[in-house]
PDB file of all heavy atoms in Angstrom:
ATOM      1  N   GLY A 531     -59.192 -74.642  66.043  1.00  0.00           N
ATOM      2  CA  GLY A 531     -58.184 -75.108  66.973  1.00  0.00           C
ATOM      3  C   GLY A 531     -57.954 -76.606  66.946  1.00  0.00           C
ATOM      4  O   GLY A 531     -57.221 -77.126  67.785  1.00  0.00           O
ATOM      5  N   ALA A 532     -58.558 -77.306  65.990  1.00  0.00           N
ATOM      6  CA  ALA A 532     -58.372 -78.756  65.904  1.00  0.00           C
ATOM      7  C   ALA A 532     -56.920 -79.071  65.592  1.00  0.00           C
ATOM      8  O   ALA A 532     -56.256 -78.341  64.869  1.00  0.00           O
ATOM      9  CB  ALA A 532     -59.282 -79.341  64.830  1.00  0.00           C
ATOM     10  N   ARG A 533     -56.461 -80.158  66.165  1.00  0.00           N
ATOM     11  CA  ARG A 533     -55.089 -80.585  65.920  1.00  0.00           C
ATOM     12  C   ARG A 533     -55.017 -81.423  64.659  1.00  0.00           C
ATOM     13  O   ARG A 533     -55.887 -82.258  64.416  1.00  0.00           O
ATOM     14  CB  ARG A 533     -54.583 -81.409  67.097  1.00  0.00           C
ATOM     15  CG  ARG A 533     -54.388 -80.585  68.350  1.00  0.00           C
ATOM     16  CD  ARG A 533     -53.071 -79.884  68.304  1.00  0.00           C
ATOM     17  NE  ARG A 533     -52.998 -78.852  69.353  1.00  0.00           N
ATOM     18  CZ  ARG A 533     -51.956 -78.044  69.480  1.00  0.00           C
ATOM     19  NH1 ARG A 533     -50.955 -78.131  68.651  1.00  0.00           N
ATOM     20  NH2 ARG A 533     -51.936 -77.133  70.424  1.00  0.00           N
ATOM     21  N   GLN A 534     -53.937 -81.199  63.918  1.00  0.00           N
ATOM     22  CA  GLN A 534     -53.752 -81.959  62.692  1.00  0.00           C
ATOM     23  C   GLN A 534     -53.352 -83.381  63.040  1.00  0.00           C
ATOM     24  O   GLN A 534     -52.469 -83.621  63.845  1.00  0.00           O
ATOM     25  CB  GLN A 534     -52.654 -81.308  61.847  1.00  0.00           C
ATOM     26  CG  GLN A 534     -52.496 -81.966  60.489  1.00  0.00           C
ATOM     27  CD  GLN A 534     -51.539 -81.183  59.595  1.00  0.00           C
ATOM     28  OE1 GLN A 534     -50.763 -80.375  60.072  1.00  0.00           O
ATOM     29  NE2 GLN A 534     -51.605 -81.422  58.310  1.00  0.00           N
ATOM     30  N   THR A 535     -54.023 -84.324  62.417  1.00  0.00           N
ATOM     31  CA  THR A 535     -53.650 -85.714  62.599  1.00  0.00           C
ATOM     32  C   THR A 535     -52.895 -86.174  61.370  1.00  0.00           C
ATOM     33  O   THR A 535     -53.095 -85.655  60.271  1.00  0.00           O
ATOM     34  CB  THR A 535     -54.900 -86.592  62.788  1.00  0.00           C
ATOM     35  OG1 THR A 535     -55.793 -86.356  61.703  1.00  0.00           O
ATOM     36  CG2 THR A 535     -55.606 -86.248  64.088  1.00  0.00           C
ATOM     37  N   ASP A 536     -52.028 -87.106  61.565  1.00  0.00           N
ATOM     38  CA  ASP A 536     -51.238 -87.598  60.435  1.00  0.00           C
ATOM     39  C   ASP A 536     -52.152 -88.240  59.407  1.00  0.00           C
ATOM     40  O   ASP A 536     -52.988 -89.069  59.749  1.00  0.00           O
ATOM     41  CB  ASP A 536     -50.212 -88.633  60.909  1.00  0.00           C
ATOM     42  CG  ASP A 536     -49.145 -87.978  61.766  1.00  0.00           C
ATOM     43  OD1 ASP A 536     -48.856 -86.798  61.538  1.00  0.00           O
ATOM     44  OD2 ASP A 536     -48.626 -88.659  62.650  1.00  0.00           O
ATOM     45  N   PRO A 537     -51.986 -87.864  58.163  1.00  0.00           N
ATOM     46  CA  PRO A 537     -52.797 -88.502  57.120  1.00  0.00           C
ATOM     47  C   PRO A 537     -52.435 -89.974  57.007  1.00  0.00           C
ATOM     48  O   PRO A 537     -51.276 -90.349  57.134  1.00  0.00           O
ATOM     49  CB  PRO A 537     -52.428 -87.742  55.849  1.00  0.00           C
ATOM     50  CG  PRO A 537     -51.093 -87.138  56.141  1.00  0.00           C
ATOM     51  CD  PRO A 537     -51.043 -86.887  57.630  1.00  0.00           C
ATOM     52  N   VAL A 538     -53.449 -90.797  56.817  1.00  0.00           N
ATOM     53  CA  VAL A 538     -53.199 -92.233  56.711  1.00  0.00           C
ATOM     54  C   VAL A 538     -52.330 -92.511  55.488  1.00  0.00           C
ATOM     55  O   VAL A 538     -51.378 -93.275  55.531  1.00  0.00           O
ATOM     56  CB  VAL A 538     -54.539 -92.987  56.594  1.00  0.00           C
ATOM     57  CG1 VAL A 538     -54.282 -94.483  56.421  1.00  0.00           C
ATOM     58  CG2 VAL A 538     -55.396 -92.730  57.826  1.00  0.00           C
ATOM     59  N   ARG A 539     -52.658 -91.854  54.427  1.00  0.00           N
ATOM     60  CA  ARG A 539     -51.907 -92.088  53.189  1.00  0.00           C
ATOM     61  C   ARG A 539     -52.028 -90.861  52.302  1.00  0.00           C
ATOM     62  O   ARG A 539     -53.068 -90.238  52.266  1.00  0.00           O
ATOM     63  CB  ARG A 539     -52.473 -93.318  52.479  1.00  0.00           C
ATOM     64  CG  ARG A 539     -51.744 -93.682  51.198  1.00  0.00           C
ATOM     65  CD  ARG A 539     -52.155 -95.050  50.739  1.00  0.00           C
ATOM     66  NE  ARG A 539     -51.794 -96.084  51.726  1.00  0.00           N
ATOM     67  CZ  ARG A 539     -51.867 -97.384  51.512  1.00  0.00           C
ATOM     68  NH1 ARG A 539     -52.298 -97.830  50.365  1.00  0.00           N
ATOM     69  NH2 ARG A 539     -51.523 -98.246  52.429  1.00  0.00           N
ATOM     70  N   GLY A 540     -50.976 -90.542  51.593  1.00  0.00           N
ATOM     71  CA  GLY A 540     -51.040 -89.456  50.627  1.00  0.00           C
ATOM     72  C   GLY A 540     -50.961 -88.095  51.281  1.00  0.00           C
ATOM     73  O   GLY A 540     -50.534 -87.950  52.419  1.00  0.00           O
ATOM     74  N   ALA A 541     -51.385 -87.111  50.550  1.00  0.00           N
ATOM     75  CA  ALA A 541     -51.255 -85.738  50.992  1.00  0.00           C
ATOM     76  C   ALA A 541     -52.230 -85.436  52.108  1.00  0.00           C
ATOM     77  O   ALA A 541     -53.307 -86.021  52.189  1.00  0.00           O
ATOM     78  CB  ALA A 541     -51.493 -84.791  49.822  1.00  0.00           C
ATOM     79  N   SER A 542     -51.835 -84.520  52.957  1.00  0.00           N
ATOM     80  CA  SER A 542     -52.709 -84.090  54.028  1.00  0.00           C
ATOM     81  C   SER A 542     -53.912 -83.347  53.452  1.00  0.00           C
ATOM     82  O   SER A 542     -53.773 -82.552  52.533  1.00  0.00           O
ATOM     83  CB  SER A 542     -51.947 -83.175  54.986  1.00  0.00           C
ATOM     84  OG  SER A 542     -52.846 -82.546  55.877  1.00  0.00           O
ATOM     85  N   PRO A 543     -55.098 -83.612  53.985  1.00  0.00           N
ATOM     86  CA  PRO A 543     -56.284 -82.872  53.522  1.00  0.00           C
ATOM     87  C   PRO A 543     -56.338 -81.453  54.078  1.00  0.00           C
ATOM     88  O   PRO A 543     -57.222 -80.690  53.718  1.00  0.00           O
ATOM     89  CB  PRO A 543     -57.444 -83.720  54.060  1.00  0.00           C
ATOM     90  CG  PRO A 543     -56.889 -84.391  55.266  1.00  0.00           C
ATOM     91  CD  PRO A 543     -55.420 -84.618  54.986  1.00  0.00           C
ATOM     92  N   TRP A 544     -55.433 -81.134  54.946  1.00  0.00           N
ATOM     93  CA  TRP A 544     -55.426 -79.796  55.510  1.00  0.00           C
ATOM     94  C   TRP A 544     -54.937 -78.798  54.482  1.00  0.00           C
ATOM     95  O   TRP A 544     -54.010 -79.081  53.720  1.00  0.00           O
ATOM     96  CB  TRP A 544     -54.538 -79.755  56.747  1.00  0.00           C
ATOM     97  CG  TRP A 544     -55.189 -80.391  57.944  1.00  0.00           C
ATOM     98  CD1 TRP A 544     -55.707 -81.654  57.999  1.00  0.00           C
ATOM     99  CD2 TRP A 544     -55.397 -79.803  59.219  1.00  0.00           C
ATOM    100  NE1 TRP A 544     -56.214 -81.872  59.246  1.00  0.00           N
ATOM    101  CE2 TRP A 544     -56.040 -80.765  60.019  1.00  0.00           C
ATOM    102  CE3 TRP A 544     -55.085 -78.561  59.768  1.00  0.00           C
ATOM    103  CZ2 TRP A 544     -56.387 -80.503  61.337  1.00  0.00           C
ATOM    104  CZ3 TRP A 544     -55.430 -78.310  61.091  1.00  0.00           C
ATOM    105  CH2 TRP A 544     -56.080 -79.270  61.860  1.00  0.00           C
ATOM    106  N   GLN A 545     -55.558 -77.626  54.501  1.00  0.00           N
ATOM    107  CA  GLN A 545     -55.208 -76.591  53.545  1.00  0.00           C
ATOM    108  C   GLN A 545     -54.327 -75.555  54.211  1.00  0.00           C
ATOM    109  O   GLN A 545     -54.568 -75.160  55.354  1.00  0.00           O
ATOM    110  CB  GLN A 545     -56.488 -75.934  53.013  1.00  0.00           C
ATOM    111  CG  GLN A 545     -56.221 -74.846  51.991  1.00  0.00           C
ATOM    112  CD  GLN A 545     -57.503 -74.078  51.654  1.00  0.00           C
ATOM    113  OE1 GLN A 545     -58.592 -74.580  51.852  1.00  0.00           O
ATOM    114  NE2 GLN A 545     -57.337 -72.866  51.160  1.00  0.00           N
TER     115      GLN A 545
END
Side-chain angles (χ1 to χ4, degrees):
R533 291 278 167 183
Q534 186 172 18
T535 53
D536 292 330
V538 178
R539 182 167 298 190
S542 169
W544 284 54
Q545 181 189 338

